[in-house]
Amino acid sequence: MKDAMPPTPQPQTVPAPTGEQDRTPLDVLVVDDDPGILTTLRLALSAAGCPVRTAASAEEALALLAARPADLVLTDVRMEGASGIDLVRETRALVPDALCVVMTAFASFENAVAAIKAGAFDYLPKPFSVEQLEHLAGKVATVVALRRENARLRAAGASDAAGAGGDWFAGLTAPA
């Protein structure tokens, strides 16, 4: 009688996403001291299915972020009080996962570099079209969805390693 071969360990399956995190719309905070820009962006992003909050200053935006984080902070560079670049720095400290996009009518290479160095995800020169805004929101949504999926997989992996499931590679290699 031949020795029975041990069963081949099967990989642990991670529960499939429910789709909720993929369908969750971006929570957007728009910051600009121009009421017309705030209204236009709120309407365009709301039409794309995003819940949108608005703030007329960096200080107001930080108070809103402290109360409820946002996935995307879309801010003007030049505003009364603190600048959009200052807001990016403060937002990154307060809500590290928020993606900040700086928009400005005074586009320059120096402004773009300053925004990216401060932690901005992207830089959007004004004027821009609704299509450009939707494309930007799509890029941000992709990054947010990937981050959520990564966190879900890490949590599932940590619970498998801590539980009886363990690492499915364990036992497949020779002991050291």
Side-chain angles (χ1 to χ4, degrees):
M1 179 177 207
K2 291 186 177 181
D3 290 332
M5 299 243 338
T8 303
Q10 296 300 314
Q12 296 291 320
T13 58
V14 176
T18 61
E20 283 183 35
Q21 63 268 35
D22 298 327
R23 288 188 303 235
T24 303
L26 288 177
D27 186 0
V28 181
L29 175 60
V30 179
V31 188
D32 199 310
D33 56 359
D34 181 340
I37 296 289
L38 288 177
T39 300
T40 302
L41 293 178
R42 182 180 48 79
L43 291 172
L45 290 165
S46 294
C50 299
V52 180
R53 294 175 286 161
T54 60
S57 69
E59 295 77 17
E60 184 182 352
L62 290 170
L64 290 171
L65 287 170
R68 188 178 94 218
D71 297 316
L72 170 61
V73 176
L74 185 60
T75 183
D76 192 17
V77 170
R78 291 189 185 180
M79 297 182 289
E80 294 293 321
S83 74
I85 303 294
D86 296 330
L87 177 59
V88 169
R89 284 189 197 97
E90 293 293 323
T91 298
R92 299 291 296 145
L94 183 64
V95 187
D97 286 341
L99 296 176
C100 298
V101 174
V102 174
M103 56 184 176
T104 184
F106 305 97
S108 70
F109 179 76
E110 291 78 16
N111 281 346
V113 169
I116 300 302
K117 282 185 176 181
F121 173 73
D122 207 344
Y123 183 82
L124 193 60
K126 293 179 186 175
F128 50 85
S129 67
V130 171
E131 290 80 17
Q132 288 172 302
L133 183 62
E134 289 172 349
H135 177 73
L136 172 68
K139 285 191 331 185
V140 171
T142 298
V143 171
V144 169
L146 288 171
R147 284 180 175 176
R148 289 176 182 159
E149 179 71 1
N150 190 334
R152 185 189 67 78
L153 291 171
R154 285 181 187 266
S159 66
D160 282 349
D167 182 1
W168 77 274
F169 285 108
L172 293 179
T173 58

